[in-house]
Amino acid sequence: MSDAARWGAVLVVLVTLALHCKCQELDDPLTPAAMQLITEYASWRNLDHLLIFDTTLGKVAVPNNFIQLMDCLSQCGVYASMYSTQVPRKWDMFHISKHRLGIVVLMKYNDSIDDQDHIMHKASDQRLFGEQQAWLLISNNPIVNARLQYLSLGLTSDLVLATATGHHELTSDSTTSSTTKCPVQLSWSSEDEDMSPPKDNNIISKPMMEHNSVAEHLATSGLSERLTTMLPHYELVQMYKIRRDDDSSFVFTALGSWGMSMHFENVRTFIPVEGRQNLMGFPLVVGYKNWTAAIQSTSYQGRKSEVYDTDVDDTKNLQEIMKYIAKSLNATVQYKAYPSVGTEIQDGVWSDLLKAVVTEKVDFGLAKVTVTYNKLNDMAFTHVIMKSSYNIYMHPPELSVSKDIYLTPFTFKLLLSVLGMAILLALIMFVDSLVANYKARQLDEAQLEDVNMSYATLWIVGILTMQGSIWTPITSSGNMILISSLMFALIIYNSYAAFITSILSVTTSDITTLEDLFANDYRVGYIQNSHDEIYLQSLLQKQTNDLHIIYLRGYNSRVHNIETGLLKAATSRYALFISTSAARHAIQVLNPYTCRCQIQEFVLRSTEEDVAFPLSKSSPYHKIINLGVMRLKESGILSKIHTQMLPNMPMCSTEQSFVSAQFGDILSAVGLFLAGVILALIISIIECIISYRRELTIGVRQKTRHFCVKIKEYVRNFEF
């Protein structure tokens, strides 16, 4: 045989072997490289639960490479289970609430995701391409990429396609030079191994704690010498769609190439949902409330009624917020109008705009919706944009002329605290004097002045009344006691004086609670057939606070519109219960102008609720819209728009002057002064009587004796 013939025969053999290897590779996607890719991908994405799907499971005996992969994942601490790519029996396994679930789909060259029984097709129907499911699709067919855009992917989809491209030669040098967390034994099963299928088609593994290197596995398997197995590279591509119902919004990002020797060194970081803020001009469908009519037909407790809408048309301000959010996301906006925000008709069934949000007919609602527990059961909300509340608006009551300002600062608790401090200081002073006298006697020094409790009491009274100290200490401890007492008296005196000054200079209302409002003989009312009345009716059923009393007491004092109620509140003893936003906007345009400054806002903290934009629970735009709202808050734009949606109460220019104290204000002080003078006179008289009682007694005795002597002499002279 000639040399040319021999070389030709060798070439035919090599081509035949290459074609055989290629066909075998295309027929089975779970190559040693794919096994290594799966284990490293689980580590790269921090996945500890994997579901692996393959077409061969359930049809033939389980290949040994699947068993090796399960062992490898067990060593990595990854819980894994294998299923057929046909429809699974339970869809609950795709939902794990605590963390993300990794799903690996192995596709052969001729597999098609268009098959209705394929796991990818069914997952698309079930909308399982969410943020909580991390999909890894391993395929040897490069045209699979073109079919993935027809799946129900969304902005939060977590799908990575690994396509086998190119080859490299895996040698023992390249294998032993790098180690991984969880190695794969790069060998195929032999014919003499037991290949009997298990009883169940699902193979479930539990994690093991042993970790070996790739070199150790190669040594134990007899493959420590040079390997010439031809293994592919894998090109990783991340895929998602900006809009689930628009196949033209399909976005794919090349992450890089993975290989057995370089691992994930050349692979870029996976793009999370927060990093997908460029919507490339695709629209956001936004629903809003139609304000063409102030009277709308709504449903409450299953009955139809004409409801007066007291809310304010903030469409312009809300669209301004939407404008900034869309600009930050590089998106356009499509608006859909609805007659009302909507209410809950029955459990889980909503109307109008909220119904469109729950059923995902709109991406989110551009409306001021309060965040409540029953709404959170059916929908989600963005970050809070403002607060909503209901307040009472009334004319402030006239303050009484006599305030008795000198007795107002005194309370039982204050008097008890000052008295206790005074007794404590007197005791400390008395004990200090005793100790000082005891030391003087021990040192044979002159004894100090004898101090008793009456002396200590008189001393502390002089301190507290700012009259000075009758005690002159000569020890360091005594000086500290005296300084502390004077400082305490100074603080008490200045606090008392400041309180009296504040009473004369600051005007405050006597109404601080609902009980005070009712006690001042105010008539409480609200707007008839309005959302305010519906709100009070809901509180009447719950009776969680005292606000349901407003509904009962104000039923006969209802008004027909906001202007009438505010005018009554400004000119009479009438209190109007209404939403804060509606009242403040109405006060801004109330005529006459003088009535605006005669209305006071009585704040009801128990009615405050958060206001946000509603979204569907499965909305893919939840995170990026929240990021847009946060940017508005940080830039100060939201606070400026918030001022327009909820204006402040009118700032009326009134002259501020100090109030002069009248005689009635100081009547208690005058009475206390007169009582002190009278008591001092009585004590002085008693002291004088006690001081001169001996002289008086002697004088009386002498006069009595002299009188008796004169009587006796007179009797004697009369007898003679």
Side-chain angles (χ1 to χ4, degrees), residues 81-98:
S81 57
M82 291 188 176
Y83 302 89
S84 172
T85 53
Q86 301 301 317
V87 180
R89 290 171 295 180
K90 294 183 179 179
W91 293 102
D92 296 341
M93 61 184 178
F94 289 89
H95 301 281
I96 300 179
S97 58
K98 294 184 179 180

Side-chain angles (χ1 to χ4, degrees), residues 314-327:
D314 283 325
T315 304
K316 182 178 179 181
N317 295 321
L318 295 176
Q319 289 181 352
E320 192 71 15
I321 294 177
M322 190 63 236
K323 173 184 174 182
Y324 285 104
I325 294 177
K327 184 178 180 180

Side-chain angles (χ1 to χ4, degrees), residues 166-170 174 229-233 259-261:
H167 297 80
H168 76 286
E169 184 178 359
L170 178 66
S174 63
T229 307
M230 302 298 291
L231 298 176
H233 285 256
M260 289 290 292
S261 59

Side-chain angles (χ1 to χ4, degrees), residues 65-76:
N65 56 344
F66 281 92
I67 300 176
Q68 293 179 13
L69 177 60
M70 300 296 288
D71 292 339
C72 178
L73 293 173
S74 298
Q75 296 176 25
C76 292

Side-chain angles (χ1 to χ4, degrees), residues 489-633:
L490 179 64
I491 294 173
I492 293 296
Y493 179 79
N494 288 333
S495 300
Y496 179 73
F499 192 93
I500 294 177
T501 304
S502 67
I503 293 176
L504 295 175
S505 59
V506 179
T507 303
T508 58
S509 176
D510 295 335
I511 298 178
T512 57
T513 61
L514 286 176
E515 289 78 7
D516 298 336
L517 180 67
F518 298 144
N520 279 269
D521 196 22
Y522 272 87
R523 291 184 299 110
V524 182
Y526 43 87
I527 300 176
Q528 185 176 2
N529 295 331
S530 65
H531 288 292
D532 308 324
E533 184 176 5
I534 295 176
Y535 176 78
L536 291 173
Q537 287 177 350
S538 64
L539 296 179
L540 180 63
Q541 295 177 353
K542 299 177 183 178
Q543 294 189 0
T544 55
N545 49 40
D546 295 335
L547 293 179
H548 68 278
I549 303 177
I550 298 178
Y551 175 76
L552 299 176
R553 299 191 60 166
Y555 187 81
N556 295 325
S557 302
R558 294 177 295 174
V559 294
H560 296 287
N561 53 60
I562 300 178
E563 290 76 13
T564 303
L566 291 176
L567 288 176
K568 288 183 65 176
T571 57
S572 63
R573 299 181 71 84
Y574 182 80
L576 179 65
F577 178 86
I578 191 175
S579 65
T580 307
S581 177
R584 291 188 181 182
H585 279 90
I587 290 174
Q588 298 292 329
V589 296
L590 187 64
N591 286 317
Y593 177 82
T594 54
C595 293
R596 305 178 191 178
C597 298
Q598 296 176 2
I599 298 178
Q600 180 183 6
E601 184 180 67
F602 181 70
V603 180
L604 300 175
R605 299 293 182 186
S606 59
T607 63
E608 287 188 354
E609 292 179 325
D610 295 332
V611 174
F613 298 139
L615 306 94
S616 170
K617 277 193 169 183
S618 59
S619 173
Y621 307 104
H622 195 175
K623 287 188 176 181
I624 61 174
I625 291 177
N626 276 339
L627 292 175
V629 174
M630 291 175 62
R631 291 193 195 97
L632 290 178
K633 290 183 178 180

Side-chain angles (χ1 to χ4, degrees), residues 3 8 29 52 73 79 103 330 356 394 401 601 619 647:
D3 293 339
I52 303 176
L73 293 173
Y79 290 89
I103 305 173
N330 188 21
M394 61 185 182
V401 178
E601 184 180 67
S619 173

Side-chain angles (χ1 to χ4, degrees), residues 158-332:
D158 190 335
L159 175 61
V160 174
L161 173 63
T163 306
T165 60
H167 297 80
H168 76 286
E169 184 178 359
L170 178 66
T171 62
S172 59
D173 296 336
S174 63
T175 303
T176 57
S177 62
S178 62
T179 59
T180 60
K181 273 187 174 182
C182 186
V184 177
Q185 183 176 346
L186 302 179
S187 63
W188 296 101
S189 59
S190 59
E191 297 181 356
D192 55 349
E193 292 179 342
D194 184 13
M195 300 296 294
S196 59
K199 296 180 180 179
D200 193 356
N201 294 334
N202 303 330
I203 307 174
I204 301 177
S205 68
K206 295 184 178 180
M208 299 169 60
M209 300 306 294
E210 298 179 359
H211 295 273
N212 300 316
S213 64
V214 174
E216 293 174 350
H217 275 270
L218 293 175
T220 56
S221 62
L223 297 178
S224 58
E225 299 179 357
R226 180 179 178 85
L227 297 176
T228 58
T229 307
M230 302 298 291
L231 298 176
H233 285 256
Y234 285 94
E235 295 294 332
L236 303 183
V237 180
Q238 181 181 353
M239 302 176 181
Y240 62 90
K241 285 199 297 188
I242 297 176
R243 295 204 59 82
R244 185 182 289 122
D245 55 353
D246 190 352
D247 295 336
S248 63
S249 65
F250 184 70
V251 178
F252 60 92
T253 304
L255 299 179
S257 179
W258 178 93
M260 289 290 292
S261 59
M262 53 189 175
H263 306 289
F264 280 91
E265 296 177 359
N266 297 330
V267 178
R268 288 190 292 271
T269 306
F270 184 85
I271 303 175
V273 179
E274 294 82 356
R276 309 173 191 178
Q277 300 183 41
N278 185 5
L279 301 187
M280 302 180 184
F282 284 94
L284 288 173
V285 182
V286 179
Y288 71 99
K289 178 181 177 180
N290 187 6
W291 290 91
T292 55
I295 304 296
Q296 63 177 358
S297 178
T298 188
S299 175
Y300 178 71
Q301 293 182 347
R303 66 177 187 272
K304 291 283 184 176
S305 61
E306 294 297 326
V307 176
Y308 181 83
D309 194 352
T310 58
D311 205 353
V312 180
D313 185 3
D314 283 325
T315 304
K316 182 178 179 181
N317 295 321
L318 295 176
Q319 289 181 352
E320 192 71 15
I321 294 177
M322 190 63 236
K323 173 184 174 182
Y324 285 104
I325 294 177
K327 184 178 180 180
S328 65
L329 300 177
N330 188 21
T332 57

